[in-house]
Each structure stands twice: as structure tokens, then as C-alpha cells.
Amino acid sequence: MSTAAKNARWAPGKLALAVCLGLAATAQAAEEKAAKAKDDPSLEVIEVTARRTVENLQTVPVAVTSLSAEQMSQRGVEDLADVQWYSPNTTLQVSRGTNSTLTAYIRGIGQQDPLWGFEPGVGIYIDDVYVARPQGAVMDILDVQRIEVLRGPQGTLYGRNTIGGAVKYVTKKLSGDPEFNVQGTLGSYKQHDLKLSGQMPLSDNFYAGFAFGTFNRDGFGKFKNTGADNYNKDIKAGRLSLAWYPSEALSVQFMADRTWDDSNAKGGYRLTPSLITGQQPYDSVYDSDTSMPTDNSVETGGEALTLSYGINSDWTFKSITAHRDGDTDTNIDFDSTKEPALDIPALYHDRQFTQEFQLNVNSGDWQGVGGLYYLDGKACGVFETVLGLAGMTLENGGCVNTKSYAAYAQGSYHLSPKLSMTLGGRYTQDKKDANVYRLLYLGIRYPHDAPATPLLVQSDFQDSATFHRFSPRAGLEYQLSDDIMVYGSYTNGFKSGGFDMRANKSVNPDADKPYDPEIVDTYELGLKAEWLDRRLRTNIATFYSDYKDMQITVQRAVNNNTDVASQVLNAGKSSIKGVELEATLAATDALQLNANLGYVDAKFKRVDFFDPNQGRVIDVSDQWRFANTPKWTGSLLAQYNLAAFGGDLVLTGGLSYRSKVQIFETPSMLDTGSVTLLNAGASWYKGNWEVQLMGRNLTDREYRLAGYNFAAPRDGSGNITGPGLGGEDTIVGYYGDPRTVSLSVGYRF
């Protein structure tokens, strides 16, 4: 990169640092006055809905991180993936060649593969509605009330596939007060965003609200051979809300949301020279080449109707009816060269209907919730593995229909004024019907092409399977004082089994067999405490998980790198243990410090792997490590409030850290070292005005998030001994955002 280009990229960062340092100097001048005031306020009460009812964070015996809309705004959180920096032992990232597909892991448990038919290990919720597919789940922060991250199995109350935890995107509720908000943002790489939101009463008991956002940015790099933007952003999102309160006991709420992502499909950065074109790795990790169009389209959304009826002062009935659907049309060039060595165009379609009936009770010594849940979902897709230089295309396609039924209940009872007991359980039954095909064609094909006669049928089968499980939870909570609570719990987690949608029976005759559910038993001890007249809050959790039948998707090049074998492993046994700390200190009436620290020790005990090249099952537990699971995570954030420039000024600055990460279960060149990011910002409020200057990744730290690894064979010295899949050495990485600076101006009417 030229000196001029480097200076151009540094200029916004220098501007942000200069402004923040200048504002900090103003803050220092006001600090003596703040210290003399000695009016140290206690920390605000944080409300969460971790147990499906509104509670004080400090009384909930679950490890929960809650970030309010104001906190996220002041910390520069732009979308759901940014939340990972403020929740210990949490990974929320954009998946590989996409822009809005989510890869989520909590405490080492998740699902890397976003292919249809596979279930996530972390449940994503919009309010009380489960989002079954990860496409479009990297939601921008738009008119949100808060985001909650629940760590550890949440199956008793949340059900499907919350074996690692749950992430709740809680939207802003309608109050009936007329309002209209507008915010515009300009930033690095020609960022230009616009957010509009508002609400108004249509009558005394009927309110309507809306939110709309458009998020746009040029690419961080280019596709060198076409000139198209790489890592650009072109997203629109909207939401409509209605609320009707016909009586004090009854409320009816409706919400509809839709997201359109037309950003370009991402091109990967080649870590090694191309065997075909001789292309060397580019200077910028955001530059790439492609042999396909960069068109990408993701449209996802849904509708939800929630009825709540207060039967009496103790009992409340709730009904949640929801529908969601999504369509994806994308082109991902795995080898990232101008030749069609290994290209993957794909189409996905999914839809889901869910119905939940819920009964809440809060009567004296009893608090609890129980209910019935039903899901009817269908996920379909087709993708091509284009081996253009070999003159052939492998086509995978099919559908999975899922019907899930569940009944659950969980309650807490006060055995004494200080001691309470929690018992709960959920019975789940999933029935899955799958059809899978895998065809070999001569020539190059795309999903939209007309039907043709294949050269070879490698898989073509239909099958059904039923999975069921009772998942219990038990716990004790003891209130040592008004400000200190300790708890211990045991929770069983369950993630449904299924079928491998890439099954290649010509290589693995058992590929059509269903894989089993995942099971985890988690034991957790926690302490939630407030000290110094509620100016210091410390929440600590330590946990141990016994993890069985972990589902791991493995793809290997076989038959001298002319074909691909896929399998979903129930990878034997593993154990996970760790500690989490979250602390907040109101050091003065103006200065607040926030810190979190997470530690995870995750180990495989046994991994039974069918090696298609050897044709037998082997134990590879000594070679494997947990993917997307850094041993250490943490952040340290300072916030300073003062009166300045005729209004209120909030200065924020912080460091976020993640230790080294292995991208896949097996070691590869993609594995990445530790990363520390520096963010800083200034938010100014006066009357209805709000102005924010935000700098993210101010040291311009380069860090890899994901990649594809179809490496060419190598000898013991690392020398390439032959071509890889498609004739190429495909080792490509995808990276986090570089340094960016943005300025936002908002007004509330």
C-alpha cells in the first residue's frame, strides 16, 4: 500500500483521537468539581427477561449480559455481531463469504455451518420468537430496547437448540406517546446510513409505530479483476408495530419486520499463491478476484402476534403466534481467483410457523412459567460445486421438513425468606423428513439453470427420523443479604439430530443415516453482588459442561482431490469448564468503569471420525480442538459524563480482547492469533439533539474471522506435492472491519 494511501486511511483515526483527547482535556478540567460533589450515584437497576418474565438482573440465577440501546450506541455497536466484544465467552460473527449470516458460539457450543437442514447451537430470538435460520440474523441495531445474551443451556424455557445459550433482540415497546426520531451517519469508506423511527396513538388504546433503516458503505477492498466492491454494505431494514389495549387485563401486539441485504458476496483473501493463475496474495486482505458475478441477495422477515391476558393478580396467559421466511441467492468464489476452479453459487429458502401458549404465575412464594410450543418449518436449498477447470459440476439439493412439539414448566419456590429452589423441565419431540440428492454434471452449471441429465447420481434418498428428549433443570438460590445472591444449578441441554444435506453415498455408504442429537449437562455456580452502596456490581459464574455427541460437519477432498466427501460427526465426548466475570463500578458521579473477563477450557475426550481416504473409523481427539472458542475473552471500558458545550457529553473508550482462535476443529493456516481492539467515542446531548463521533478499531488491527480450507496436499516440510480440489490450493480468509470513523446526528421530534 502506498504512503499516501496509508496516510489517507490514518487521517480519520487521527481526527477521532484528536477530538477525543481534546474532549478528555475538557473532562479533566471538570473532574475536580465532580470529585468534590461526592454525589456518587448507585448503579441503575437492569431489567431482563431471561426467565420469560421481567426481573432484576441481580435476582436471576443465570449468567446474563444485557446491553441497552444507549449503551450500544455509546460503544459503537452497529449490529448483533459487535455484541461479542461485551459478553464473555461469546462468539457472534459474520459467516465467511456472507454479510448477514450469523455464526454463533457460547462457551464453545455453536454451529459453524449455515447450510439448510443444520440446526444452530445458540438460539436467536426477536422478542419471544425463535429464528430458526442464521441467514439475515446479523441484525443492525434499529429501534432496539436492549440485547440480552444468556450463557449456558436455556432449553427449559427457550427450547429449540439453545444448548449453548440464547441471544435476545428485544425491540422497543410502544408507549403511546407521539414521537419521531431521525438519525443520519457519515463515515469512512463513504458510509451513509439513515434511521427513521416513530410512533403515534391512533386512539386512546391503540398505538402504531415504525422503524426503517438504510445502511450503506463502499467496500473495504476491490475485486481486482472486475473492479466491484468487496466488503461493501447495502442493507435496508424495516419494522411495523401495533399495540391495542382493549382493557386493563388484555393486550394485543403485532409486529412485522423485513430485511433486504443486497451487499456483494464477499471475496476471500488468498493466503497462498494460486497454483493455476500464479496470483500472489494481495497487499490488502480486503482485495480478491472472482470468476463469478458478485450478486448476492438475502431477504428475510416475519410477523408475530402476541396476546397477553391477566386472569387475575397472580396469573397471566400469553399466546405468541409467528411466521418467518427467508430467501438467499448468492455466489461465493471459494478459490478467489479469476478462474472457475472452485465456485459455489447457491439458493436457500426457508419458512417457519410457531405457536406458543404460556402461563405465568407470581403468587407469594411461587413464581413460574409453563407452556406448550409448536414449530412447523421447512428449509430447502441447492448449491453447485463448480470445478470449472475439471469441466464438471457437483450439485447438492433437497429439503428438510421439521415438526417440533414441546411442553415445559419451570418454577421457583421460597423455602425460607432467603432460600429458594428452582425446578423445571421440557419435553421436546422433533420429527424430520428429508430428501437429499447429489448429482454430477459435465460442464459448468448454476442453480437457476434448466434441468439436465446428470452424468452420475451420487446420492438420491428420502428418510425420516424422530428425536425426543426430556431436559431438566434444578437449582438453589440463597440471598446472603439484600445485595448478595449465590446460586447453583444443573441444566440439561438438547439439540436435535438430522440429516447431512451434502451426503455423498458414492464415497460414504452410510451418509444417508441420520446423525444423533447433541446432549450437554452443565453445572454452574454463581454469585451476583452489589457493594459500596450499590456503586460496584460484580457478577461471577463458574461452570462445567459434559458434552456428548457433539455435531461437527467435516468436508474432505477425496479421490485424488477430484471429489468432496461430507459427513456430520457425533464427535464422541468432550468437556468444557470456565469462569466469567462482569463488573461495573460507578467510581465517581461522572466516571463509570465496565469490565468483563471470560475463560474457557474446552477439550475433546474422544472423536470417532470416518476417514474416507482410509475407509475406516479412527479416534482423532488428540488432533482436534474446539473451533471459534478463544480461551480468553475480555473488555475494559471507561465512560465519563460531564456538562460541555451547553449540553451533556459522554466520553467512552475501551479495549476488547480475544485470545488465539482455531477456525476449524483441525489445525490449519487459517488459525489466528490474539486480537485487541481499541474503540473510542464521544456522544453529546442537548434537548432533542444527539451528536456522536465514533472511532472503531482505531489501531487498524488486522484480524481473521473465518475462511475456507481446501488445501493442496503437502509433504512433511510443507511443500505442495500436487493440486488440491479443483486443481487449486484453496486457503482463503475473511476479516473483521478495519479502522473506521463515523459521525452521527440525530433529532427527536
Side-chain angles (χ1 to χ4, degrees):
M1 183 181 293
S2 68
T3 301
K6 289 182 178 179
N7 289 338
R9 292 185 67 187
W10 266 107
K14 290 180 178 178
L15 172 62
L17 286 172
V19 171
C20 291
L21 288 173
L23 294 174
T26 306
Q28 186 176 3
E31 188 170 358
E32 280 190 26
K33 181 178 179 181
K36 288 178 182 179
K38 294 183 179 179
D39 183 22
D40 298 336
S42 59
L43 296 169
E44 66 175 342
V45 174
I46 298 176
E47 292 185 338
V48 296
T49 54
R51 295 195 291 183
R52 307 299 291 267
T53 188
V54 178
E55 297 178 279
N56 183 341
L57 173 68
Q58 297 307 106
T59 66
V60 178
V62 177
V64 186
T65 295
S66 179
L67 295 174
S68 68
E70 184 178 56
Q71 288 173 323
M72 289 186 286
S73 175
Q74 293 170 353
R75 298 178 188 186
V77 174
E78 294 186 336
D79 57 41
L80 193 63
D82 289 336
V83 172
Q84 74 168 351
W85 300 103
Y86 302 103
S87 178
N89 294 332
T90 300
T91 295
L92 300 171
Q93 295 176 346
V94 179
S95 298
R96 296 184 286 218
T98 72
N99 300 278
S100 55
T101 299
L102 182 68
T103 294
Y105 281 74
I106 295 178
R107 295 179 175 177
I109 300 176
Q111 174 59 264
Q112 185 175 86
D113 199 331
L115 193 70
W116 75 93
F118 294 153
E119 306 281 8
V122 174
I124 305 300
Y125 285 79
I126 300 177
D127 295 324
D128 286 324
V129 177
Y130 171 67
V131 179
R133 303 296 304 135
Q135 282 78 22
V138 183
M139 293 171 281
D140 284 271
I141 305 304
L142 177 64
D143 203 36
V144 65
Q145 184 171 323
R146 66 180 179 275
I147 288 177
E148 299 176 11
V149 180
L150 287 64
R151 296 184 296 278
Q154 306 296 323
T156 304
L157 292 181
Y158 286 89
R160 290 189 56 77
N161 306 323
T162 53
I163 189 170
V167 179
K168 296 186 66 176
Y169 187 96
V170 183
T171 61
K172 187 177 178 181
K173 305 306 178 188
L174 299 181
S175 65
D177 298 324
E179 65 176 63
F180 179 73
N181 307 310
V182 58
Q183 183 187 67
T185 301
L186 296 176
S188 307
Y189 301 94
K190 296 185 180 179
Q191 177 186 358
H192 52 289
D193 301 341
L194 178 65
K195 296 181 183 180
L196 303 172
S197 64
Q199 61 174 298
M200 65 179 297
L202 301 180
S203 71
D204 290 342
N205 60 4
F206 189 31
Y207 315 142
F210 80 97
F212 176 79
T214 174
F215 308 93
N216 307 273
R217 185 195 63 232
D218 285 355
F220 299 139
K222 293 285 187 180
F223 288 95
K224 291 288 193 177
N225 65 317
T226 68
D229 277 344
N230 194 19
Y231 286 79
N232 71 324
K233 191 170 185 178
D234 182 3
I235 295 177
K236 296 178 179 62
R239 185 168 66 246
L240 171 67
S241 302
L242 300 172
W244 180 41
Y245 302 94
S247 69
E248 291 186 5
L250 178 63
S251 68
V252 181
Q253 299 182 39
F254 173 81
M255 186 189 75
D257 69 277
R258 185 67 46 176
T259 297
W260 301 267
D261 179 4
D262 293 314
S263 316
N264 290 343
K266 287 182 181 176
Y269 173 74
R270 292 193 57 86
L271 273 66
T272 61
S274 169
L275 299 181
I276 296 171
T277 68
Q279 171 194 317
Q280 299 294 312
Y282 286 121
D283 292 339
S284 170
V285 297
Y286 305 107
D287 287 339
S288 188
D289 282 336
T290 184
S291 60
M292 293 195 298
T294 57
D295 296 342
N296 172 78
S297 174
V298 179
E299 181 179 346
T300 182
E303 307 81 40
L305 178 67
T306 302
L307 286 76
S308 181
Y309 180 72
I311 300 172
N312 54 39
S313 59
D314 298 333
W315 293 86
T316 302
F317 171 79
K318 182 183 286 188
S319 169
I320 307 163
T321 307
H323 162 268
R324 297 196 66 81
D325 62 79
D327 289 284
T328 298
D329 186 348
T330 191
N331 296 292
I332 301 177
D333 190 331
F334 274 37
D335 62 289
S336 297
T337 68
K338 60 185 179 181
E339 297 294 336
L342 182 56
D343 296 348
I344 313 291
L347 297 174
Y348 301 148
H349 171 73
D350 61 87
R351 57 106 181 134
Q352 67 176 77
F353 170 82
T354 58
Q355 175 63 59
E356 183 169 2
F357 297 115
Q358 190 181 107
L359 195 62
N360 287 268
V361 59
N362 190 342
S363 176
D365 291 332
W366 282 97
Q367 298 87 38
V369 59
L372 300 173
Y373 180 83
Y374 171 73
L375 176 142
D376 182 0
K378 184 175 184 178
C380 297
V382 58
F383 71 91
E384 317 286 352
T385 302
V386 178
L387 306 175
L389 301 182
M392 62 182 183
T393 298
L394 298 167
E395 180 175 290
N396 270 99
C399 293
V400 176
N401 294 286
T402 302
K403 290 191 176 181
S404 179
Y405 308 85
Y408 64 91
Q410 179 172 299
S412 296
Y413 179 74
H414 286 274
L415 301 172
S416 73
K418 292 188 176 183
L419 178 65
S420 62
M421 175 179 64
T422 297
L423 293 175
R426 187 183 192 101
Y427 178 80
T428 302
Q429 177 176 293
D430 286 353
K431 184 178 186 300
K432 295 194 173 183
D433 300 307
N435 65 81
V436 180
Y437 67 87
R438 180 180 172 90
L439 311 174
L440 173 63
Y441 291 94
L442 291 178
I444 295 177
R445 280 184 57 83
Y446 289 87
H448 292 289
D449 288 351
T453 302
L455 176 67
L456 179 66
V457 177
Q458 295 184 324
S459 293
D460 187 6
F461 64 89
Q462 298 182 18
D463 205 347
S464 298
T466 299
F467 311 97
H468 56 87
R469 180 77 180 180
F470 175 72
S471 303
R473 175 182 172 86
L476 289 173
E477 305 86 40
Y478 189 78
Q479 202 75 37
L480 292 171
S481 69
D482 290 342
D483 297 323
I484 302 176
M485 186 264 284
V486 295
Y487 69 90
S489 66
Y490 158 76
T491 309
N492 177 263
F494 161 77
K495 186 174 98 170
S496 185
F499 295 90
D500 183 5
M501 304 309 294
R502 297 190 186 92
N504 185 349
K505 291 194 64 177
S506 69
V507 175
N508 180 3
D510 294 329
D512 60 340
K513 301 285 193 302
Y515 53 85
D516 294 330
E518 292 183 345
I519 307 295
V520 67
D521 293 299
T522 295
Y523 306 85
E524 182 170 317
L525 294 174
L527 180 146
K528 296 193 172 186
E530 292 179 335
W531 319 84
L532 305 176
D533 294 326
R534 294 186 58 242
R535 290 191 293 113
L536 172 63
R537 178 180 295 141
T538 56
N539 292 342
I540 303 171
T542 180
F543 60 90
Y544 174 82
S545 296
D546 184 16
Y547 197 7
K548 296 181 285 291
D549 291 330
M550 180 179 180
Q551 298 165 5
I552 298 177
T553 305
V554 179
Q555 297 183 73
R556 295 283 187 272
V558 296
N559 297 334
N560 295 319
N561 292 313
T562 61
D563 203 348
V564 179
S566 170
Q567 59 180 312
V568 180
L569 301 177
N570 287 112
K573 296 182 178 180
S574 56
S575 64
I576 310 170
K577 57 186 176 182
V579 180
E580 295 159 351
L581 166 67
E582 295 182 277
T584 303
L585 172 65
T588 71
D589 66 333
L591 176 64
Q592 184 176 109
L593 303 175
N594 294 271
N596 77 71
L597 182 66
Y599 169 78
V600 167
D601 181 13
K603 294 181 179 178
F604 287 104
K605 294 181 177 179
R606 192 186 83 242
V607 178
D608 296 326
F609 169 60
F610 175 79
D611 188 329
N613 291 308
Q614 298 185 41
R616 64 187 181 93
V617 176
I618 58 176
D619 182 1
V620 294
S621 57
D622 60 334
Q623 305 170 33
W624 282 30
R625 299 291 182 271
F626 272 57
N628 294 305
T629 304
K631 182 165 285 191
W632 292 96
T633 60
S635 68
L636 179 62
L637 181 77
Q639 176 178 307
Y640 196 89
N641 306 280
L642 69 154
F645 313 116
D648 297 314
L649 182 64
V650 179
L651 303 176
T652 57
L655 295 171
S656 299
Y657 173 81
R658 294 169 66 83
S659 62
K660 64 181 181 180
V661 175
Q662 191 163 300
I663 300 297
F664 299 103
E665 285 72 22
T666 55
S668 73
M669 289 178 62
L670 293 169
D671 299 338
T672 183
S674 63
V675 59
T676 301
L677 298 186
L678 169 64
N679 294 342
S683 303
W684 179 75
Y685 307 91
K686 182 179 181 181
N688 293 336
W689 287 97
E690 175 183 335
V691 180
Q692 287 188 323
L693 177 66
M694 185 59 58
R696 306 167 78 245
N697 189 11
L698 288 173
T699 60
D700 205 17
R701 184 74 159 83
E702 181 182 292
Y703 60 103
R704 188 159 50 245
L705 298 176
Y708 293 108
N709 183 42
F710 290 95
R714 286 166 165 78
D715 60 23
S717 301
N719 299 310
I720 294 176
T721 59
L725 183 64
E728 186 56 273
D729 183 33
T730 298
I731 310 174
V732 298
Y734 297 87
Y735 293 78
D737 293 359
R739 176 178 49 251
T740 59
V741 176
S742 63
L743 178 66
S744 301
V745 178
Y747 188 80
R748 298 187 302 274
F749 291 90

